[in-house]
Amino acid sequence: MNTLYRVLLSLAVIFAALVCYSAGSMTGVVGFFVLGILLEAAFWLGIGKVFRSGSNASKG
């Protein structure tokens, strides 16, 4: 997968997490907070893959 695509996808996921946090705080629905936490976890795991793949490419 292209690095630019991964970065854009990661930004979209963190933006979705922020939207879920915001919706959860306005409505008080716990499901939005849980979804936000899952999306944020996906962001952090995904952004780690971007940096790991970039460092591996420079070594080889």
Side-chain angles (χ1 to χ4, degrees):
M1 194 181 317
N2 187 357
T3 303
L4 178 62
Y5 177 72
R6 286 183 181 183
V7 170
L8 291 176
L9 184 61
S10 295
L11 291 174
V13 169
I14 197 68
F15 179 74
L18 292 172
V19 168
C20 287
Y21 286 140
S22 177
S25 69
M26 284 188 236
T27 61
V29 178
V30 176
F32 282 116
F33 283 113
V34 172
L35 183 59
I37 290 168
L38 293 174
L39 287 169
E40 188 174 352
F43 168 77
W44 287 112
L45 293 174
I47 201 76
K49 287 182 183 178
V50 170
F51 289 123
R52 281 194 302 261
S53 68
S55 64
N56 288 341
S58 65
K59 290 180 183 178

